[in-house]
């Protein structure tokens, strides 16, 4: 295990998927500077939020199981709420998209020799009193030399779609009202990138088809007991996607029958992030950040047909070294050794990043 004090509260963590930089992990932080908090100030965004994108190099010793972490760079930004690396071709320089508290999406290119980011573009998605809450790239299953599309959720209830153009990496092309309260998450169906999923504090999971416009969703699921916080399409099994909620539950859905989950498990503590394992050999494993109950790995039996129900979920590992809200978590894309995959996790008020294996 290895640890690092991130300085500001940490809420987002993403390993680089590029084979040129599989030893790189990015961590986003969120600092509220105002000493006096009020609901009205929060609503009107009168507080000053700032953050950083921290770049670390991770090294491992398979023989001794020792992990080490070295900070390579810190980039000062508005407060960071989410980040995602774009899955590009193996020879392309890695590209990181960052969602911040002033409605910006910033794109940063990683120099793989120097292990440092350079900001190459900034896209304003709304007025500066709106927060970009989450983002997701469309091309997870189709790595290419240029970026895919980006879906972004905004604190005013809207979603916005950013597409590549001939003159820039990305441009804002559509914005539409999606949720009555904060849409904490928006994500693509990686197998059919005409479909976007979103979830929010209105207790709804929505599906949108970009071919049909954005006047109304193509599917609505209201069967949640609290806000929907996390969605990720399965990178190895078509039609399957995982959904997390403040109601503590992880739900596994089939896109062909999205009203009722195929399986579910109680993760405890309110689920903030879910990540499928990046390797097909561990396609049943989900990494979970449970806000008030630490980090854990849960395994679902998904090697079945749609007409069969999974036999249930098994929690195979938990990590309880964090002393505060469990927010950011990700699997490393580096080859897993006999001791398991490297995992990064970060927590908020104790501003801590941990590396461990699972």
């Amino acid at each position: 295990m290895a640890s690092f004090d991130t300085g500001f509260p940490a809420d987002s963590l993403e390993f680089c998927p590029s084979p040129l930089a599989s030893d790189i992990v990015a961590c986003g932080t969120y600092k509220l500077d105002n000493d006096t908090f009020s609901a009205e100030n929060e609503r009107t965004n009168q507080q000053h939020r700032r953050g950083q994108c921290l770049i670390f190099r991770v090294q491992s010793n398979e023989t001794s199981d020792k992990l080490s972490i070295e900070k390579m760079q810190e980039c000062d930004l508005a407060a960071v709420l989410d980040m995602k690396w774009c899955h590009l071709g193996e020879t392309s320089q890695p590209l990181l998209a960052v969602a911040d508290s002033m409605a910006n999406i910033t794109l940063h290119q990683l120099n793989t020799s120097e292990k440092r980011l350079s900001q190459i573009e900034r896209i304003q998605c709304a007025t500066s009193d709106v927060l970009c809450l989450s983002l997701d790239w469309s091309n997870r299953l189709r790595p290419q030399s240029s970026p895919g599309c980006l879906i972004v959720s905004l604190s005013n209830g809207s979603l916005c779609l950013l597409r590549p153009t001939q003159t820039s990496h990305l441009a804002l092309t559509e914005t539409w009202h999606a949720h009555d309260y904060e849409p904490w998450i928006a994500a693509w169906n990686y197998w059919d990138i005409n479909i976007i999923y979103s979830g929010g504090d209105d207790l709804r999971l929505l599906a949108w088809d970009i071919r049909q416009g954005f006047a109304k969703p193509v599917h609505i699921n209201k069967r949640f007991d609290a806000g929907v916080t996390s969605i990720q399409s399965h990178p190895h099994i078509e039609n399957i996607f995982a959904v997390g909620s403040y109601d503590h539950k992880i739900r596994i859905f089939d896109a062909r029958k999205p009203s009722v989950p195929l399986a579910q498990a109680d993760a405890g503590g309110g689920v903030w992030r879910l990540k499928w394992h990046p390797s097909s050999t561990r396609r049943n494993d989900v990494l979970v950040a449970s806000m008030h109950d630490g980090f854990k790995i849960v395994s679902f039996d998904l090697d079945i047909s749609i007409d069969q129900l999974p036999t249930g979920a098994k929690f195979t590992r938990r990590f309880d070294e964090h002393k505060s809200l469990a927010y950011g978590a990700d699997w490393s894309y580096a080859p897993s050794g006999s001791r398991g995959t490297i995992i990064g996790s970060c927590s908020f008020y104790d501003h801590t990043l941990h590396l461990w294996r699972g």
Side-chain angles (χ1 to χ4, degrees), residues 139-339:
N139 60 323
R140 169 76 184 259
L141 301 186
R142 301 167 181 83
Q144 52 199 29
S145 59
S146 58
C149 297
L150 204 62
I151 186 66
V152 180
S153 67
L154 305 176
S155 61
N156 62 6
S158 298
L159 303 182
C160 56
L161 180 59
L162 283 62
R163 303 177 192 259
T165 69
Q166 293 183 346
T167 58
S168 64
H169 289 87
L170 290 173
L172 178 62
T173 58
E174 285 93 15
T175 301
W176 68 98
H177 182 76
H179 292 265
D180 293 331
Y181 297 95
E182 287 89 344
W184 296 117
I185 191 70
W188 294 92
N189 179 334
Y190 297 142
W191 298 83
D192 180 0
I193 57 173
N194 293 303
I195 303 299
I196 295 164
Y197 302 116
S198 63
D201 258 0
D202 54 4
L203 283 61
R204 300 197 305 170
L205 168 68
L206 306 180
W208 307 86
D209 189 327
I210 63 176
R211 297 165 297 188
Q212 298 184 22
F214 306 105
K216 62 180 181 179
V218 294
H219 183 78
I220 302 173
N221 185 333
K222 301 179 181 179
R223 299 177 181 180
F224 293 86
D225 298 321
V228 177
T229 54
S230 187
I231 304 169
Q232 192 180 50
S233 178
H234 203 301
H236 301 294
I237 305 177
E238 188 173 0
N239 297 310
I240 299 298
F241 63 101
V243 177
S245 169
Y246 283 137
D247 66 11
H248 310 331
K249 291 185 176 63
I250 307 162
R251 295 171 173 87
I252 308 300
F253 288 95
D254 189 302
R256 296 164 293 183
K257 296 182 178 181
S259 295
V260 180
L262 290 175
Q264 64 182 32
D266 192 326
V271 176
W272 183 250
R273 280 293 177 264
L274 297 169
K275 299 283 185 69
W276 293 105
H277 197 287
S279 171
S280 62
T281 61
R282 292 184 59 182
R283 57 187 173 273
N284 290 338
D285 291 349
V286 182
L287 177 62
V288 185
S290 298
M291 295 174 61
H292 301 284
D293 196 38
F295 298 88
K296 55 204 76 174
I297 299 170
V298 58
S299 184
F300 291 91
D301 182 10
L302 299 175
D303 299 321
I304 55 177
S305 71
I306 189 173
D307 297 321
Q308 296 175 281
L309 290 177
T311 55
K314 180 181 180 182
F315 288 89
T316 60
R317 175 84 160 91
R318 64 177 297 142
F319 185 80
D320 294 316
E321 295 300 316
H322 291 271
K323 307 304 180 186
S324 180
L325 293 175
Y327 271 154
D330 201 13
W331 309 89
S332 170
Y333 291 82
S336 297
S338 59
R339 299 176 185 271

Side-chain angles (χ1 to χ4, degrees), residues 95-115:
L95 184 68
L96 179 69
V98 178
D100 74 29
S101 62
M102 296 187 70
N104 296 311
I105 298 297
T106 51
L107 300 182
H108 306 259
Q109 195 165 60
L110 181 73
N111 182 312
T112 54
S113 299
E114 299 178 1
K115 311 293 186 183

